[in-house]
Amino acid sequence: MGASASKIKFRESLTSLTTRDVSPDDAAFWDELWKIPSSADEVFELLTPSNARRLRDERFDNLATLFTQATAQLCQIVETPYTIYFDQALNCVRVLTRVLPFLLEKG
């Protein structure tokens, strides 16, 4: 997947999170989200503060699922630490790093 294609796919995934309910059981959605190659700059550019706040305020269940899925993905990578999974771990950490401050700002 090229850089622009992955950027578009990541944007589409974020749009889905902020506009519709995404089931925790939608394994295809969550697996794809973590497998989309994204740099830290792309995550911070595409997941804007307003998007993070909208996710928190309007789709809190999706935000909770995002945290649960990211944490589960990281735990799985710890259990099977193969280098092919390291990019997925980075994506999880980048997304969590971007969203967590907005969750905490509401207190």
Side-chain angles (χ1 to χ4, degrees):
M1 186 178 298
S4 63
S6 64
K7 200 172 184 178
I8 290 168
K9 191 63 188 159
F10 188 72
R11 180 179 292 128
E12 289 171 355
S13 295
L14 294 176
T15 299
S16 293
L17 283 172
T18 58
T19 59
R20 68 177 180 90
D21 292 331
V22 179
S23 171
D25 299 324
D26 189 349
F29 175 86
W30 296 107
D31 287 344
E32 184 175 23
L33 178 66
W34 307 128
K35 290 178 181 175
I36 298 170
S38 306
S39 69
D41 289 338
E42 288 173 337
V43 170
F44 276 69
E45 174 189 339
L46 297 173
L47 185 50
T48 64
S50 63
N51 285 342
R53 288 183 182 107
R54 184 173 34 245
L55 182 60
R56 178 197 66 202
D57 296 340
E58 298 174 13
R59 299 283 179 183
F60 189 80
D61 288 345
N62 283 354
L63 179 62
T65 302
L66 177 85
F67 275 95
T68 303
Q69 292 290 334
T71 303
Q73 185 76 18
L74 289 171
C75 288
Q76 183 178 0
I77 292 167
V78 167
E79 293 295 320
T80 54
Y82 300 119
T83 56
I84 60 171
Y85 299 128
F86 291 175
D87 286 339
Q88 292 175 39
L90 282 173
N91 284 340
C92 292
V93 171
R94 289 171 178 151
V95 170
L96 290 173
T97 300
R98 182 58 168 161
V99 175
L100 185 60
F102 298 100
L103 179 65
L104 297 176
E105 81 179 1
K106 187 119 183 187

